[in-house]
Amino acid sequence: MMIIDGWSCTNVTSARLVSKLNLVTKPHPRAYKLQWLSEDGEVQVMKQVELDISIGKYNDKVCCSYGGQPLNLGETMAI
């Protein structure tokens, strides 16, 4: 699932989405840590993926951070 969180400024994606869609990851230009993404502690974000999105005639690309772990979030919207 792709996570869109209204209280944060971070686009992140889960390990499951990357695996299921066989997405290609690339190094994140500025690695960082996020605490709130996992009940297991900090998530080290060292990679990113680019997703193509399409809504009607609108097409775009979204760059999402990827920590390589399952995500545990309460209120999420899955695309």
Side-chain angles (χ1 to χ4, degrees):
M1 88 179 98
M2 180 174 137
I3 306 302
I4 300 172
D5 179 9
W7 296 282
S8 127
C9 297
T10 304
N11 290 332
V12 294
T13 190
S14 70
R16 183 176 180 194
L17 180 75
V18 172
S19 174
K20 291 282 186 181
L21 297 182
N22 200 26
L23 298 174
V24 176
T25 62
K26 59 184 178 181
H28 197 289
R30 289 182 295 230
Y32 61 96
K33 296 177 184 177
L34 288 173
Q35 173 64 43
W36 58 270
L37 285 179
S38 173
E39 294 173 352
D40 299 328
E42 290 182 335
V43 173
Q44 183 82 353
V45 176
M46 297 176 24
K47 296 182 181 182
Q48 60 187 8
V49 297
E50 190 172 86
L51 301 170
D52 294 316
I53 62 168
S54 177
I55 302 171
K57 294 181 181 180
Y58 176 79
N59 297 298
D60 205 349
K61 293 184 183 286
V62 176
C63 187
C64 294
S65 296
Y66 172 63
Q69 297 175 329
L71 302 177
N72 301 316
L73 298 176
E75 297 178 10
T76 61
M77 181 175 88
I79 295 178

